[in-house]
Amino acid sequence: MNFTQTLRGALIAAGLVTALMSGSIATAADAYPTRPISLIVPFAAGGPTDVLARVLAASMTKNLGQTVVVENRLGAGGTVAAGVVAKAAPDGYTFLIHHNGMATAPTLYRKLPFDVLTDFSYVTLLADVPMTLLGSKKFPPNTMVEFIKYAKENGDKINLANAGLGAVSQLCGTLLQQALGTGFTSIPYSGTGPAMTALLGGQLDVLCDQTTQTLPQIKADKVKLYGVTTAERLASLPDAPTLRESGLKDFEIVVWHGIYGPKGIPPAILARFNEAVKAALKDPAVTQKIEELGAVIVPESKQNPAALQAWLTAEIAKWGPLLKAANQYAD
Ligand code: MLT
Protein backbone atom coordinates (compact mmCIF):
# COMPACT_ATOMS: atom_id res chain seq x y z
CA MET A 1 0.00 0.00 0.00
CA ASN A 2 1.51 3.37 -0.99
CA PHE A 3 1.30 6.62 0.98
CA THR A 4 -1.72 7.99 -0.96
CA GLN A 5 -3.71 4.78 -0.40
CA THR A 6 -2.82 4.79 3.32
CA LEU A 7 -3.89 8.43 3.68
CA ARG A 8 -7.15 7.81 1.80
CA GLY A 9 -7.88 4.83 4.07
CA ALA A 10 -7.19 6.88 7.18
CA LEU A 11 -9.45 9.70 5.98
CA ILE A 12 -12.29 7.27 5.19
CA ALA A 13 -11.92 5.68 8.63
CA ALA A 14 -11.92 9.12 10.32
CA GLY A 15 -14.99 10.12 8.32
CA LEU A 16 -16.75 6.93 9.38
CA VAL A 17 -15.93 7.57 13.06
CA THR A 18 -17.19 11.18 12.77
CA ALA A 19 -20.37 10.05 11.03
CA LEU A 20 -20.94 7.37 13.66
CA MET A 21 -20.30 9.86 16.48
CA SER A 22 -22.57 12.55 15.08
CA GLY A 23 -25.13 9.82 14.39
CA SER A 24 -25.01 8.71 18.02
CA ILE A 25 -25.27 12.33 19.23
CA ALA A 26 -28.25 12.89 16.94
CA THR A 27 -29.79 9.69 18.29
CA ALA A 28 -29.24 10.79 21.92
CA ALA A 29 -30.88 14.16 21.23
CA ASP A 30 -33.71 12.52 19.28
CA ALA A 31 -34.40 10.08 22.12
CA TYR A 32 -34.24 12.81 24.81
CA PRO A 33 -35.63 12.63 27.41
CA THR A 34 -35.35 8.99 28.45
CA ARG A 35 -35.74 9.57 32.20
CA PRO A 36 -37.25 12.12 34.64
CA ILE A 37 -35.94 15.70 34.57
CA SER A 38 -35.31 17.74 37.75
CA LEU A 39 -36.58 21.30 37.87
CA ILE A 40 -34.92 22.84 40.92
CA VAL A 41 -36.76 25.54 42.89
CA PRO A 42 -34.55 27.66 45.17
CA PHE A 43 -37.24 28.31 47.80
CA ALA A 44 -39.68 26.36 49.99
CA ALA A 45 -42.58 24.33 48.64
CA GLY A 46 -45.91 26.15 48.48
CA GLY A 47 -44.39 29.58 47.72
CA PRO A 48 -44.65 31.58 44.48
CA THR A 49 -41.61 30.10 42.67
CA ASP A 50 -42.75 26.61 43.59
CA VAL A 51 -46.31 27.31 42.40
CA LEU A 52 -45.07 28.51 39.00
CA ALA A 53 -42.67 25.55 38.69
CA ARG A 54 -45.38 23.00 39.45
CA VAL A 55 -47.87 24.50 36.99
CA LEU A 56 -45.23 24.38 34.23
CA ALA A 57 -43.88 20.94 35.22
CA ALA A 58 -47.31 19.30 34.93
CA SER A 59 -47.74 20.57 31.37
CA MET A 60 -44.12 19.87 30.34
CA THR A 61 -44.42 16.29 31.59
CA LYS A 62 -47.19 15.72 29.03
CA ASN A 63 -45.13 17.31 26.26
CA LEU A 64 -41.85 15.53 27.01
CA GLY A 65 -43.31 12.12 27.86
CA GLN A 66 -41.13 12.03 31.00
CA THR A 67 -41.87 13.43 34.45
CA VAL A 68 -40.52 16.88 35.23
CA VAL A 69 -39.88 16.55 38.97
CA VAL A 70 -39.92 19.74 41.04
CA GLU A 71 -37.23 19.67 43.74
CA ASN A 72 -36.82 22.34 46.42
CA ARG A 73 -33.18 23.10 47.25
CA LEU A 74 -33.29 25.81 49.90
CA GLY A 75 -30.77 28.27 51.21
CA ALA A 76 -28.87 31.53 50.85
CA GLY A 77 -31.56 33.40 48.93
CA GLY A 78 -31.53 30.95 46.02
CA THR A 79 -27.76 30.72 45.56
CA VAL A 80 -27.57 27.15 46.95
CA ALA A 81 -29.91 25.90 44.22
CA ALA A 82 -28.13 27.92 41.52
CA GLY A 83 -24.81 26.42 42.65
CA VAL A 84 -26.23 22.88 42.49
CA VAL A 85 -27.42 23.45 38.91
CA ALA A 86 -24.17 25.17 37.81
CA LYS A 87 -22.28 22.01 38.85
CA ALA A 88 -24.76 19.44 37.50
CA ALA A 89 -24.00 17.29 34.45
CA PRO A 90 -24.96 19.24 31.30
CA ASP A 91 -27.11 16.41 29.98
CA GLY A 92 -30.53 18.06 29.95
CA TYR A 93 -31.79 16.39 33.13
CA THR A 94 -31.23 19.22 35.64
CA PHE A 95 -32.66 22.74 35.36
CA LEU A 96 -33.22 25.72 37.66
CA ILE A 97 -36.18 28.07 37.82
CA HIS A 98 -35.22 31.36 39.40
CA HIS A 99 -36.21 35.02 39.56
CA ASN A 100 -34.52 38.44 40.03
CA GLY A 101 -32.30 36.74 42.63
CA MET A 102 -30.14 35.48 39.78
CA ALA A 103 -29.36 39.14 38.93
CA THR A 104 -28.95 40.45 42.48
CA ALA A 105 -26.71 37.60 43.73
CA PRO A 106 -23.51 38.86 42.03
CA THR A 107 -23.80 42.15 43.97
CA LEU A 108 -25.03 40.65 47.24
CA TYR A 109 -22.59 37.73 47.58
CA ARG A 110 -18.89 38.48 47.74
CA LYS A 111 -17.91 34.84 47.19
CA LEU A 112 -20.43 33.40 44.77
CA PRO A 113 -19.15 29.97 43.62
CA PHE A 114 -20.43 30.50 40.06
CA ASP A 115 -20.76 33.26 37.47
CA VAL A 116 -24.40 33.90 36.59
CA LEU A 117 -23.46 35.14 33.12
CA THR A 118 -21.08 32.37 32.05
CA ASP A 119 -21.70 29.18 34.08
CA PHE A 120 -25.17 28.31 32.79
CA SER A 121 -27.13 27.28 29.72
CA TYR A 122 -29.94 29.79 29.27
CA VAL A 123 -33.36 28.38 28.36
CA THR A 124 -35.94 31.16 28.40
CA LEU A 125 -37.71 33.95 30.24
CA LEU A 126 -41.09 32.80 31.59
CA ALA A 127 -43.42 35.26 33.31
CA ASP A 128 -43.54 38.55 35.20
CA VAL A 129 -45.30 38.80 38.56
CA PRO A 130 -46.26 41.89 40.60
CA MET A 131 -45.72 42.00 44.36
CA THR A 132 -48.14 43.05 47.06
CA LEU A 133 -47.43 44.52 50.47
CA LEU A 134 -49.50 42.72 53.09
CA GLY A 135 -50.16 42.89 56.80
CA SER A 136 -51.48 40.23 59.14
CA LYS A 137 -55.10 40.65 60.22
CA LYS A 138 -53.74 41.19 63.76
CA PHE A 139 -51.39 44.01 62.67
CA PRO A 140 -52.94 47.44 63.51
CA PRO A 141 -52.64 49.49 60.24
CA ASN A 142 -55.54 49.03 57.81
CA THR A 143 -54.38 51.13 54.84
CA MET A 144 -51.11 52.15 53.20
CA VAL A 145 -51.37 55.61 54.76
CA GLU A 146 -51.81 54.06 58.22
CA PHE A 147 -48.99 51.57 57.51
CA ILE A 148 -46.52 54.36 56.68
CA LYS A 149 -47.42 56.31 59.82
CA TYR A 150 -47.22 53.17 62.01
CA ALA A 151 -43.91 52.08 60.43
CA LYS A 152 -42.31 55.46 61.07
CA GLU A 153 -43.46 55.43 64.71
CA ASN A 154 -42.76 51.76 65.51
CA GLY A 155 -39.80 50.83 63.24
CA ASP A 156 -38.03 47.76 64.53
CA LYS A 157 -41.00 46.57 66.58
CA ILE A 158 -42.46 45.46 63.24
CA ASN A 159 -41.63 41.94 62.02
CA LEU A 160 -41.01 41.73 58.28
CA ALA A 161 -40.41 38.46 56.41
CA ASN A 162 -37.42 37.81 54.21
CA ALA A 163 -36.55 34.62 52.33
CA GLY A 164 -32.80 35.29 52.35
CA LEU A 165 -30.36 37.72 50.78
CA GLY A 166 -31.32 37.54 47.11
CA ALA A 167 -35.00 36.80 47.69
CA VAL A 168 -37.44 39.32 46.24
CA SER A 169 -39.29 39.56 49.58
CA GLN A 170 -35.97 40.68 51.05
CA LEU A 171 -35.34 43.09 48.14
CA CYS A 172 -38.80 44.61 48.64
CA GLY A 173 -38.15 44.96 52.39
CA THR A 174 -34.81 46.66 51.75
CA LEU A 175 -36.32 49.22 49.37
CA LEU A 176 -39.25 49.77 51.71
CA GLN A 177 -36.99 50.49 54.69
CA GLN A 178 -34.81 52.80 52.58
CA ALA A 179 -37.84 54.71 51.31
CA LEU A 180 -39.43 55.03 54.77
CA GLY A 181 -36.17 55.75 56.55
CA THR A 182 -36.98 53.14 59.18
CA GLY A 183 -35.64 49.71 60.12
CA PHE A 184 -37.93 46.70 60.62
CA THR A 185 -37.02 43.44 62.37
CA SER A 186 -36.26 41.01 59.58
CA ILE A 187 -37.50 37.43 60.14
CA PRO A 188 -35.79 34.80 57.95
CA TYR A 189 -37.78 32.06 56.17
CA SER A 190 -36.77 29.41 53.63
CA GLY A 191 -39.33 30.88 51.24
CA THR A 192 -42.44 32.99 51.37
CA GLY A 193 -44.64 29.85 51.51
CA PRO A 194 -43.80 29.39 55.22
CA ALA A 195 -43.83 33.19 55.68
CA MET A 196 -47.41 33.32 54.43
CA THR A 197 -48.40 30.60 56.95
CA ALA A 198 -46.88 32.78 59.71
CA LEU A 199 -48.68 35.89 58.41
CA LEU A 200 -52.01 34.06 58.36
CA GLY A 201 -51.37 32.85 61.91
CA GLY A 202 -50.44 36.35 63.12
CA GLN A 203 -46.87 35.37 64.10
CA LEU A 204 -45.57 37.71 61.37
CA ASP A 205 -46.65 41.35 60.87
CA VAL A 206 -45.69 42.20 57.28
CA LEU A 207 -44.89 40.32 54.07
CA CYS A 208 -44.06 41.66 50.62
CA ASP A 209 -44.73 38.84 48.18
CA GLN A 210 -45.78 37.86 44.68
CA THR A 211 -49.42 37.70 43.60
CA THR A 212 -48.91 34.06 42.55
CA GLN A 213 -49.16 33.31 46.25
CA THR A 214 -50.95 36.34 47.68
CA LEU A 215 -53.90 36.89 45.34
CA PRO A 216 -55.95 33.93 46.68
CA GLN A 217 -55.36 35.10 50.29
CA ILE A 218 -56.27 38.70 49.41
CA LYS A 219 -59.45 37.59 47.61
CA ALA A 220 -60.37 35.41 50.61
CA ASP A 221 -59.85 38.45 52.88
CA LYS A 222 -57.33 36.60 55.05
CA VAL A 223 -54.71 39.39 54.99
CA LYS A 224 -54.58 43.19 54.90
CA LEU A 225 -53.52 44.57 51.52
CA TYR A 226 -51.62 47.87 51.69
CA GLY A 227 -50.34 48.35 48.16
CA VAL A 228 -48.72 46.96 45.01
CA THR A 229 -45.08 47.25 43.91
CA THR A 230 -45.77 47.94 40.21
CA ALA A 231 -45.56 51.38 38.60
CA GLU A 232 -49.29 51.24 37.74
CA ARG A 233 -52.24 49.86 39.70
CA LEU A 234 -53.23 46.28 38.90
CA ALA A 235 -56.46 45.46 37.05
CA SER A 236 -56.94 42.52 39.44
CA LEU A 237 -56.64 44.77 42.55
CA PRO A 238 -57.86 48.17 41.34
CA ASP A 239 -58.37 49.61 44.84
CA ALA A 240 -54.80 48.91 46.00
CA PRO A 241 -52.52 51.95 45.62
CA THR A 242 -49.06 51.61 44.14
CA LEU A 243 -46.28 52.24 46.66
CA ARG A 244 -45.17 55.06 44.35
CA GLU A 245 -48.44 56.92 44.55
CA SER A 246 -48.29 56.46 48.34
CA GLY A 247 -45.14 58.61 48.38
CA LEU A 248 -42.40 55.97 48.05
CA LYS A 249 -40.52 57.68 45.23
CA ASP A 250 -39.65 55.54 42.15
CA PHE A 251 -40.57 52.34 44.00
CA GLU A 252 -41.03 49.51 41.51
CA ILE A 253 -40.40 45.78 41.66
CA VAL A 254 -41.68 43.33 39.08
CA VAL A 255 -40.56 39.75 39.63
CA TRP A 256 -39.34 38.04 36.45
CA HIS A 257 -38.56 34.36 36.11
CA GLY A 258 -36.28 32.32 33.90
CA ILE A 259 -35.06 28.75 33.42
CA TYR A 260 -31.37 27.81 33.41
CA GLY A 261 -29.35 24.62 33.03
CA PRO A 262 -25.68 23.88 33.58
CA LYS A 263 -23.33 25.24 30.92
CA GLY A 264 -22.66 22.91 27.98
CA ILE A 265 -26.03 21.24 27.35
CA PRO A 266 -25.97 19.98 23.72
CA PRO A 267 -27.90 22.49 21.54
CA ALA A 268 -30.42 19.91 20.26
CA ILE A 269 -31.33 18.90 23.83
CA LEU A 270 -31.57 22.53 24.97
CA ALA A 271 -33.79 23.29 21.98
CA ARG A 272 -36.09 20.32 22.80
CA PHE A 273 -36.41 21.45 26.44
CA ASN A 274 -37.07 25.03 25.34
CA GLU A 275 -39.77 23.74 22.95
CA ALA A 276 -41.47 21.97 25.89
CA VAL A 277 -41.39 25.15 28.01
CA LYS A 278 -42.85 27.16 25.12
CA ALA A 279 -45.60 24.59 24.63
CA ALA A 280 -46.41 24.82 28.36
CA LEU A 281 -46.60 28.62 28.12
CA LYS A 282 -49.31 28.15 25.44
CA ASP A 283 -51.17 25.36 27.23
CA PRO A 284 -54.63 26.71 28.28
CA ALA A 285 -54.34 24.87 31.63
CA VAL A 286 -51.16 26.88 32.31
CA THR A 287 -52.22 30.23 30.85
CA GLN A 288 -55.51 30.21 32.75
CA LYS A 289 -53.85 29.35 36.08
CA ILE A 290 -51.05 31.88 35.59
CA GLU A 291 -53.51 34.63 34.67
CA GLU A 292 -55.69 33.80 37.71
CA LEU A 293 -52.63 34.32 39.92
CA GLY A 294 -51.83 37.74 38.44
CA ALA A 295 -48.74 36.70 36.47
CA VAL A 296 -48.09 37.71 32.87
CA ILE A 297 -46.40 35.28 30.48
CA VAL A 298 -43.62 36.96 28.47
CA PRO A 299 -44.29 37.40 24.74
CA GLU A 300 -43.12 34.58 22.47
CA SER A 301 -40.32 36.82 21.16
CA LYS A 302 -38.75 36.60 24.65
CA GLN A 303 -39.13 32.84 25.08
CA ASN A 304 -35.55 32.04 24.10
CA PRO A 305 -32.01 31.85 25.55
CA ALA A 306 -30.79 35.16 24.05
CA ALA A 307 -33.67 37.12 25.60
CA LEU A 308 -32.98 35.60 29.04
CA GLN A 309 -29.24 36.38 28.82
CA ALA A 310 -29.89 39.96 27.68
CA TRP A 311 -32.47 40.54 30.43
CA LEU A 312 -30.24 39.05 33.11
CA THR A 313 -27.34 41.29 32.02
CA ALA A 314 -29.55 44.40 32.12
CA GLU A 315 -30.98 43.48 35.54
CA ILE A 316 -27.50 43.01 37.06
CA ALA A 317 -26.69 46.55 35.93
CA LYS A 318 -30.02 47.87 37.24
CA TRP A 319 -29.94 46.39 40.76
CA GLY A 320 -26.19 46.56 41.41
CA PRO A 321 -25.97 50.28 42.31
CA LEU A 322 -29.20 50.19 44.38
CA LEU A 323 -27.98 47.24 46.43
CA LYS A 324 -24.53 48.70 46.89
CA ALA A 325 -26.21 51.82 48.26
CA ALA A 326 -28.13 49.61 50.74
CA ASN A 327 -24.78 48.13 51.79
CA GLN A 328 -25.98 44.55 52.26
CA TYR A 329 -23.52 41.77 51.60
CA ALA A 330 -22.89 38.14 52.43
CA ASP A 331 -19.52 36.46 52.36
C1 MLT B 1 -40.53 32.03 47.11
O1 MLT B 1 -40.77 31.37 46.10
O2 MLT B 1 -40.61 31.56 48.26
C2 MLT B 1 -40.21 33.48 46.96
O3 MLT B 1 -40.03 33.80 45.61
C3 MLT B 1 -39.01 33.84 47.79
C4 MLT B 1 -38.65 35.28 47.61
O4 MLT B 1 -37.89 35.59 46.70
O5 MLT B 1 -39.11 36.10 48.38
Side-chain angles (χ1 to χ4, degrees):
M1 199 183 284
N2 64 27
F3 175 73
T4 314
Q5 284 169 323
T6 309
L7 183 63
R8 191 182 300 132
L11 287 174
I12 290 169
L16 272 174
V17 169
T18 308
L20 280 172
M21 276 176 65
S22 58
S24 68
I25 287 166
T27 310
D30 288 349
Y32 171 82
T34 55
R35 57 187 168 86
I37 297 170
S38 293
L39 181 58
I40 298 190
V41 168
F43 300 103
T49 318
D50 185 73
V51 165
L52 184 60
R54 286 178 200 274
V55 171
L56 289 172
S59 176
M60 289 175 68
T61 294
K62 283 185 273 163
N63 183 286
L64 290 163
Q66 288 287 343
T67 310
V68 176
V69 183
V70 173
E71 274 181 48
N72 303 80
R73 290 291 192 104
L74 318 177
T79 58
V80 168
V84 167
V85 173
K87 287 184 184 59
D91 54 8
Y93 290 93
T94 310
F95 289 91
L96 169 76
I97 180 169
H98 203 349
H99 58 32
N100 310 43
M102 200 69 172
T104 55
T107 309
L108 294 171
Y109 289 82
R110 286 202 172 99
K111 291 182 196 149
L112 211 53
F114 52 82
D115 185 323
V116 296
L117 286 174
T118 56
D119 287 346
F120 293 88
S121 292
Y122 303 85
V123 180
T124 179
L125 284 164
L126 295 169
D128 295 336
V129 189
M131 298 187 88
T132 49
L133 181 65
L134 307 177
S136 136
K137 282 284 192 182
K138 293 185 183 161
F139 188 55
N142 289 312
T143 63
M144 187 66 199
V145 172
E146 287 178 22
F147 171 76
I148 292 173
K149 184 168 181 292
Y150 191 89
K152 287 187 172 166
E153 286 164 3
N154 293 280
D156 61 8
K157 290 200 204 89
I158 299 171
N159 289 334
L160 170 80
N162 89 69
L165 204 54
V168 286
S169 47
Q170 200 273 342
L171 177 66
C172 180
T174 300
L175 298 189
L176 200 56
Q177 291 172 85
Q178 267 182 336
L180 295 175
T182 186
F184 300 134
T185 297
S186 203
I187 309 289
Y189 292 91
S190 57
T192 53
M196 176 58 86
T197 306
L199 191 79
L200 295 173
Q203 297 91 27
L204 176 72
D205 299 326
V206 181
L207 169 66
C208 186
D209 195 18
Q210 299 169 62
T211 57
T212 28
Q213 165 159 259
T214 65
L215 215 45
Q217 307 297 351
I218 294 166
K219 300 269 180 205
D221 194 27
K222 292 196 171 147
V223 290
K224 291 184 180 177
L225 170 63
Y226 299 133
V228 295
T229 65
T230 40
E232 306 292 332
R233 287 191 180 206
L234 300 178
S236 54
L237 298 168
D239 297 333
T242 66
L243 300 198
R244 273 183 186 201
E245 73 182 76
S246 309
L248 277 59
K249 195 169 168 289
D250 297 335
F251 197 108
E252 184 180 10
I253 305 177
V254 175
V255 185
W256 56 271
H257 298 81
I259 295 194
Y260 309 78
K263 183 180 178 163
I265 296 177
I269 289 182
L270 197 61
R272 176 68 188 98
F273 189 79
N274 177 279
E275 187 187 303
V277 181
K278 287 177 76 167
L281 294 174
K282 278 203 203 82
D283 178 348
V286 172
T287 54
Q288 195 188 330
K289 184 77 189 157
I290 283 189
E291 199 176 307
E292 253 172 49
L293 296 175
V296 180
I297 293 172
V298 298
E300 210 171 331
S301 60
K302 291 190 181 172
Q303 294 172 15
N304 58 66
L308 174 56
Q309 266 176 305
W311 187 254
L312 177 63
T313 308
E315 284 279 294
I316 292 170
K318 172 182 162 178
W319 292 110
L322 286 163
L323 293 168
K324 278 185 187 140
N327 205 22
Q328 281 181 323
Y329 295 101
D331 285 323

